Amino acid sequence: MINHLLRQPLPNIPTTSELDVIRHFTRLSQKNFSIETNFYPLGSCTMKYNPRSAKAIASLPGYFHLHPLTDSADMQGHLENYFELQNMIAELTGMSAVSLTPMAGAQGEFAGVAMISAYHRDRHDFDRTEMLIPDAAHGTNPASARMCGFTVKEIPTCTKTGDIDLDALQKAVGPKTAGIMLTNPSTFGVFEREIKKIAEIIHQAGGLLYYDGANLNAILGRVRPGDMGFDVMHLNCHKTFATPHGGGGPGSGPVAAGARLKEYLPTPMVGKNNDGYFWLTQKECPKSIGRLSCFMGNAGVLLRAHIYLRLLGKSGAKRVSQFATLNANYLMKQLEKIGYTAAFPKRRASHEFIITAKPLTQKTGVTALDIAKRLLDFGIYAPTIYFPLLIPECLLIEPTETESKKTLDRFVEVMKIIYNEAHTDAAKLKGAPYTTPVGRLDEVKAARELDVRGVTDE
Amino acid sequence: MPFIPHTENDIADMLAAIGVSKIDDLFDEIRSEIPVATLNHMPEGMCESDMTRLLTERMPDFKWGSCFIGAGSYEHFIPAAVWDIVTRGEFYTAYTPYQPEASQGTLEVIYEYQSMMAELMAMEVSNASLYDGASAMVEAVLMALRIQKNNAHKILVPKNLHPHYRDVLKSILNYHPFELIEWDYDKKSGRVDVTQLQKINKDEFAAVIVTQPNFFGVIEETDTLTQLIHEKNALIIAVVNPIAMALLNPPGKWGNHGADIVCGEGQPLGVPMAGGGPYFGFLCCRKKDIRQLPGRIVGRTHDAQGRQGFVLTLQAREQHIRRAKATSNICTNQGLLVTAATIYMRLLGAKGLHEVAKKCLENTEKLKKLLSAVNGVKILFDAPTFHEFAIQCEKPIEDIIVAMKKNHLQAGFVLKNNYPELQNSLLVCVTETKRDKDLEKYQGILQ
């Protein structure tokens, strides 16, 4: 009956023996740097230790094989985990309600901005079409604002103090202002000191404040975005709550909202009444911006985040920001002692900080890229480079709280070797890395002569 | 202190090096107008053993052969080798391959994935994946609107597309000036209503979504649909099940010119159901449209010594460069799940995938036959199905669900909540994991 709909011939995917497949992928894995094999001070990405216990528990058969549409009555414990996670996030952020469903930071941003849009629409405030975004923001911020139909207005940040230009902000706000998207501490690795003032300016203009949770690790358990005046925010479980980055995903970006925006949170969420835990859907939340994933976001990631937070508890959560901050400030001081230039030497580092290689480049020709590549030869993953865009030749360094002093000291030693090499043998740095499976790759050729698909063979 | 390695001496030395007396001093730039958090409701921490105990107690029951729900998440057997390799720290705890020299493992896996996924769909190119099937479909729609030249703003959306996919499409397209038009289905066959398609005007629609199989598990006449849709000058967005594509004609081969954009849920390829995620969405297109393809793409190149290597390519489309002008705001793929899918596909090969698909079909036909012999149970649609089919019962569906539950079976997906016209109906899913005794048990309870 379906013969004319059948596939002929089969796809060209060879069958390989199990042993050969295992060898092939094990060998491939060995070409990766990872947290479990290397120090990975990638700024803005919070590459902390990912507890193995979270993986083990999430792999128990009842969670691993759970069908997402299982009757709520048959997965009360599972829903309870979510419910607890919602509550812990609400408390850690100072917000009133939480939806766990966004599947990554960028989708959390989309959700938050969509909620701001829904709020203004609901009040028939249709002229608020502008989203304010500092020029130092993550690239996803303007992209997410566009996805929700806003036009983006950039607000300058002072590259001397690291704070937002308040005068420019005051001039930028008006009846068209829908809101502002902010990261605090900012991508400069410093705390935005004028945050209360900013909140006042925006709220007075009738706008709302969105908090990009990318850097939440810096203040976890210390101060809360809700107390700073933010109305809505997302968090990155793969950063702050130690879920694995998996080579670039899965992430998870729960969104938390204060009183004004909570009824717009995306569905599903988990509620509780006398009968137990249940799904909150569009039916119970008619003002919700709706569903963003087929089921419950990146459920398994949320489970790992829940486990991490329960292991840490209240005191453990507070220690996160304390030690992330201690490590970052220690590292910044030690690198300055070598001769590296901190972008904001007079400021405290939050959980990360920026070194600008510009003076070194001027003197020796060695760039941030060269330093990054040379670090790989010493078995250290490179910091984030050339971001934020406003600081020339920058390296954004985030050690996280789970690294020991010994690891930091070794990093300092290596950075010293590289600093000396820059002055004695710059050419050597230009040719780095030498010890990795391949050297610097021809990215221009990759883009020009696109080869994105090959024939699979052993 | 969980996961914090500092000794008292370390702390003292570090504070001295910084020039402060206590850790709290490092927060002195945060003004006192912002209160220090108290976290009154947050519980204290637990040890690993207590936590393992607690979550094992909270864990839902699991028994092989008991789940007959599909509806977007499918139980397939995953060889042990897949997740043993996937959870190696080198894959599990790496990040986006910004430094390709130190990320060749992840990059080569993605390149292999792109190659196999394009092959499976018979399409020219694939990206490195998106969040899930529903969000990949939304991106496919946005992409279609970018490449479509006819200036149309309407998208034809089948009613027999997964209801949650339709919800997600609405949530995200809400902020764009596009119009979603519902495409009804034929009540007898369960397939999309071809006459509705025939009636639309040329250039009226930017794109038409075609699913294979559709939400009811029904196999669509994709060649006929493709020809018709292209005649109307609309683009075809295929939403397909990847396992089914090892058995059914793949979208790249539909009609004379194939589908234009292909997407779907990658979960069936080695990813556990895991309560709904993380999964991954796949997205394939024609090579000419690759600059409009959102998400990461890996390309092959070489280093100065001529050694082959892999890099993220065409990054100029992405938000960290293009910011507000990016093709999408998405900046991750689902790397780990793609790793699982790549290993799964390599282990099975085309032959193994074909066998899984065939077994799904055979098992489904077996259960269909068993159930059509039951009094008061009707197979709802007469068109052929893949691994899901709808039944309608004389008895109230709630009673059936309860009876199945008593026997530790999850009966299926109740259709009336999303399709009020389908009262007392159940969408039943059978994959290769079912044995004859499971099917007989299901029939026995229904009798």
Side-chain angles (χ1 to χ4, degrees):
Chain A
M1 172 159 61
I2 60 164
N3 279 344
H4 67 291
L5 296 165
L6 294 181
R7 177 168 196 152
Q8 285 295 342
L10 290 186
N12 178 19
I13 301 173
T15 308
T16 316
S17 83
E18 184 160 323
L19 176 58
D20 284 337
V21 170
I22 288 182
R23 277 190 189 143
H24 173 65
F25 287 101
T26 302
R27 280 189 192 130
L28 280 186
S29 79
Q30 290 166 336
K31 294 184 183 179
N32 267 3
F33 279 29
S34 70
I35 298 172
E36 288 192 2
T37 50
N38 308 78
F39 180 41
Y40 214 114
L42 189 64
S44 200
C45 297
T46 314
M47 302 299 283
K48 63 168 87 173
Y49 170 61
N50 309 147
R52 280 275 154 185
S53 49
K55 186 230 129 199
I57 295 170
S59 305
L60 291 169
Y63 295 115
F64 194 80
H65 295 289
L66 178 65
H67 195 287
L69 301 173
T70 297
D71 191 339
S72 312
D74 298 328
M75 53 170 178
Q76 283 292 298
H78 181 64
L79 296 180
E80 187 175 1
N81 292 336
Y82 286 152
F83 190 76
E84 279 180 2
L85 180 60
Q86 287 173 184
N87 287 343
M88 288 191 285
I89 291 177
E91 175 145 51
L92 286 165
T93 57
M95 295 287 175
S96 333
V98 174
S99 167
L100 302 173
T101 163
M103 292 179 283
Q107 208 184 39
E109 285 180 22
F110 172 84
V113 176
M115 288 160 67
I116 292 176
S117 170
Y119 170 85
H120 291 310
R121 260 198 236 188
D122 229 20
R123 294 156 53 96
H124 300 285
D125 204 348
F126 297 116
D127 293 334
R128 298 197 177 268
T129 53
E130 286 177 359
M131 188 57 71
L132 309 180
I133 300 178
D135 50 2
H138 294 109
T140 46
N141 289 177
S144 297
R146 286 292 305 141
M147 287 283 287
C148 293
F150 287 113
T151 51
V152 172
K153 207 166 181 181
E154 278 205 346
I155 306 297
T157 315
C158 176
T159 51
K160 294 245 162 24
T161 65
D163 290 323
I164 281 185
D165 183 337
L166 280 185
D167 291 338
L169 178 68
Q170 193 75 65
K171 279 186 202 125
V173 295
K176 283 189 171 176
T177 304
I180 190 167
M181 297 177 81
L182 277 182
T183 311
N184 195 16
S186 72
T187 60
F188 287 167
V190 296
F191 192 83
E192 174 56 64
R193 290 171 291 198
E194 298 295 346
I195 183 59
K196 279 292 222 186
K197 182 81 189 146
I198 293 169
E200 200 185 302
I201 294 171
I202 298 292
H203 281 149
Q204 257 171 20
L208 297 172
L209 283 88
Y210 180 86
Y211 180 89
D212 175 338
N215 294 341
L216 187 68
N217 213 53
I219 55 167
L220 190 73
R222 179 94 200 173
V223 285
R224 312 186 303 170
D227 296 332
M228 298 178 203
F230 286 95
D231 299 287
V232 59
M233 65 176 289
H234 86 271
L235 313 85
N236 297 94
C237 291
H238 51 287
K239 298 180 183 180
T240 319
F241 300 152
T243 65
H245 283 73
S252 177
V255 54
R260 259 185 278 209
L261 290 179
K262 67 177 182 185
E263 54 188 342
Y264 303 99
L265 281 165
T267 53
M269 288 174 274
V270 177
K272 187 188 178 187
N273 60 20
N274 290 339
D275 298 329
Y277 300 93
F278 61 96
W279 290 115
L280 288 162
T281 64
Q282 202 76 26
K283 215 165 82 191
E284 294 82 14
C285 315
K287 287 195 170 181
S288 162
I289 58 158
R291 184 182 270 286
L292 299 177
S293 67
C294 190
F295 299 109
M296 180 47 186
N298 284 335
V301 180
L302 297 167
L303 182 58
R304 285 167 174 80
H306 171 261
I307 296 163
Y308 173 75
L309 281 178
R310 288 297 312 261
L311 288 170
L312 253 59
K314 178 197 294 204
S315 314
K318 283 173 171 285
R319 277 194 294 264
V320 165
S321 55
Q322 289 172 354
F323 286 85
T325 305
L326 177 68
N327 278 359
N329 280 281
Y330 175 70
L331 216 46
M332 182 167 91
K333 277 285 179 293
Q334 300 303 79
L335 293 182
E336 280 186 293
K337 282 176 195 162
I338 295 170
Y340 285 103
T341 311
F344 299 97
K346 293 192 178 126
R347 299 288 312 266
R348 298 274 184 224
S350 58
H351 68 320
E352 61 186 353
F353 61 95
I354 299 174
I355 292 293
T356 170
K358 198 175 169 198
L360 192 67
T361 311
Q362 283 166 341
K363 205 165 149 199
T364 67
V366 167
T367 62
L369 181 72
D370 300 329
I371 297 170
K373 297 298 183 196
R374 187 65 177 137
L375 276 168
L376 304 178
D377 282 331
F378 293 92
I380 295 171
Y381 199 81
T384 298
I385 49 174
Y386 301 107
F387 178 84
L389 308 167
L390 299 173
I391 310 291
E393 292 299 329
C394 70
L395 295 123
L396 181 60
I397 302 171
E398 180 184 3
T400 82
E401 74 279 9
T402 58
E403 297 297 340
S404 66
K405 178 169 178 290
K406 201 171 146 197
T407 302
L408 303 184
D409 286 341
R410 169 148 192 283
F411 177 69
V412 172
E413 248 169 64
V414 169
M415 286 295 279
K416 192 170 180 180
I417 294 170
I418 294 174
Y419 191 81
N420 292 337
E421 283 179 346
H423 290 89
T424 55
D425 191 2
K428 189 173 183 184
L429 296 189
K430 295 273 164 201
Y434 301 97
T435 59
T436 46
V438 290
R440 291 189 201 188
L441 290 159
D442 188 344
E443 298 191 16
V444 175
K445 178 184 185 259
R448 199 173 292 155
E449 302 164 29
L450 271 187
D451 171 1
V452 297
R453 174 184 177 183
V455 180
T456 32
D457 53 13
E458 255 315 61
Chain B
M1 289 196 280
F3 318 126
I4 290 176
H6 301 64
T7 64
E8 289 302 323
N9 281 342
D10 288 343
I11 298 169
D13 289 350
M14 292 168 82
L15 289 172
I18 300 167
V20 295
S21 58
K22 53 185 191 303
I23 292 179
D24 274 358
D25 294 348
L26 298 172
F27 294 92
D28 55 8
E29 290 183 358
I30 302 179
R31 295 187 182 145
S32 56
E33 59 197 7
I34 303 166
V36 172
T38 50
L39 309 184
N40 294 329
H41 304 289
M42 183 128 173
E44 275 302 346
M46 292 171 84
C47 66
E48 181 177 343
S49 127
D50 286 347
M51 189 61 197
T52 305
R53 177 81 183 261
L54 176 71
L55 259 71
T56 305
E57 283 163 9
R58 286 187 187 177
M59 183 175 81
D61 291 334
F62 167 73
K63 229 175 118 212
W64 281 112
S66 67
C67 179
F68 286 82
I69 314 175
S73 180
Y74 299 99
E75 182 185 271
H76 290 289
F77 185 76
I78 305 171
V82 174
W83 281 82
D84 263 15
I85 300 281
V86 169
T87 51
R88 281 181 67 93
E90 297 95 328
F91 284 133
Y92 196 66
T93 71
Y95 196 28
T96 304
Y98 292 121
Q99 299 295 335
E101 300 88 344
S103 316
Q104 284 298 299
T106 291
L107 286 161
E108 193 168 337
V109 165
I110 296 174
Y111 183 82
E112 280 192 27
Y113 161 81
Q114 288 173 183
S115 304
M116 284 190 282
M117 194 49 87
E119 182 65 34
L120 186 60
M121 298 300 148
M123 292 296 285
E124 286 172 347
V125 293
S126 162
N127 76 356
S129 80
L130 295 163
Y131 302 141
D132 74 347
S135 62
M137 188 191 72
V138 175
E139 290 292 335
V141 169
L142 290 169
M143 181 181 171
L145 289 157
R146 287 194 295 271
I147 58 182
Q148 174 60 275
K149 305 259 180 336
N150 70 4
N151 286 323
H153 288 97
K154 288 185 191 171
I155 310 284
L156 194 58
V157 184
K159 204 177 165 186
N160 58 19
L161 166 69
H162 198 305
H164 291 180
Y165 280 42
R166 287 183 280 142
D167 290 346
V168 176
L169 193 57
K170 271 182 232 152
S171 308
I172 298 180
L173 285 192
N174 201 1
Y175 310 89
H176 300 264
F178 309 129
E179 208 182 332
L180 304 174
I181 307 292
E182 191 171 88
W183 186 5
D184 211 348
Y185 62 91
D186 178 68
K187 301 293 177 290
K188 190 162 165 286
S189 68
R191 284 174 166 160
V192 283
D193 176 14
V194 181
T195 54
Q196 189 182 344
L197 182 65
Q198 282 163 335
K199 278 186 217 149
I200 70 171
N201 298 319
K202 200 173 173 186
D203 288 320
E204 186 184 346
F205 281 79
V208 177
I209 294 173
V210 174
T211 59
Q212 185 73 314
N214 66 34
F215 184 65
F216 300 138
V218 168
I219 299 171
E220 298 278 4
E221 286 282 359
T222 46
D223 288 328
T224 320
L225 295 176
T226 301
Q227 287 305 103
L228 255 170
I229 295 163
H230 277 157
E231 275 167 31
K232 305 285 185 186
N233 228 354
L235 293 168
I236 297 171
I237 298 169
V239 182
V240 303
N241 178 303
I243 294 283
M245 293 307 111
L247 180 72
L248 301 177
N249 197 23
K253 299 274 172 64
W254 293 354
N256 292 340
H257 303 291
D260 299 285
I261 304 173
V262 179
C263 60
E265 176 52 68
Q267 178 270 330
L269 300 171
V271 177
M273 296 194 286
Y279 299 166
F280 72 92
F282 55 87
L283 188 56
C284 302
C285 69
R286 301 182 196 280
K287 197 167 181 183
K288 72 173 178 63
D289 297 325
I290 195 167
R291 280 177 174 75
Q292 295 302 333
L293 182 65
R296 299 210 185 285
I297 301 169
V298 170
R300 177 156 57 176
T301 182
H302 55 66
D303 68 5
Q305 295 177 43
R307 289 176 296 191
Q308 166 182 281
F310 301 87
V311 293
L312 293 175
T313 194
L314 298 179
Q315 292 191 74
R317 302 161 299 120
E318 295 188 67
Q319 41 16 78
H320 63 282
I321 305 211
R322 296 274 288 169
R323 299 177 77 84
K325 295 192 187 91
T327 51
S328 162
N329 69 333
I330 296 179
C331 63
T332 43
N333 60 4
Q334 299 276 94
L336 202 66
L337 298 318
V338 160
T339 307
T342 307
I343 301 171
Y344 179 83
M345 286 193 274
R346 284 300 295 268
L347 274 174
L348 271 72
K351 234 175 113 218
L353 291 170
H354 182 73
E355 275 163 23
V356 170
K358 238 172 58 187
K359 190 78 190 161
C360 289
L361 184 76
E362 282 169 17
N363 277 348
T364 305
E365 289 306 313
K366 264 188 207 166
L367 185 64
K368 245 187 190 179
K369 208 170 153 199
L370 285 172
L371 297 193
S372 44
V374 176
N375 270 337
V377 175
K378 184 177 111 189
I379 307 295
L380 205 46
F381 302 116
D382 65 6
T385 57
F386 175 57
H387 62 5
E388 264 176 309
F389 61 97
I391 58 171
Q392 196 157 41
C393 306
E394 279 172 13
K395 280 189 223 159
I397 208 72
E398 290 76 13
D399 295 355
I400 291 169
I401 300 271
V402 169
M404 291 276 184
K405 254 195 191 189
K406 273 190 193 142
N407 289 278
H408 307 286
L409 291 188
Q410 294 181 278
F413 179 85
V414 179
L415 285 164
K416 70 174 174 195
N417 299 330
N418 300 94
Y419 300 90
E421 69 276 21
L422 301 178
Q423 290 295 316
N424 277 335
S425 302
L426 208 52
L427 187 63
V428 185
C429 175
V430 192
T431 62
E432 88 284 5
T433 55
K434 297 293 178 292
R435 303 289 178 260
D436 286 351
K437 62 176 184 184
D438 305 323
L439 306 179
E440 284 153 16
K441 184 175 172 187
Y442 192 99
Q443 182 210 28
I445 300 164
L446 214 51
Q447 247 162 357

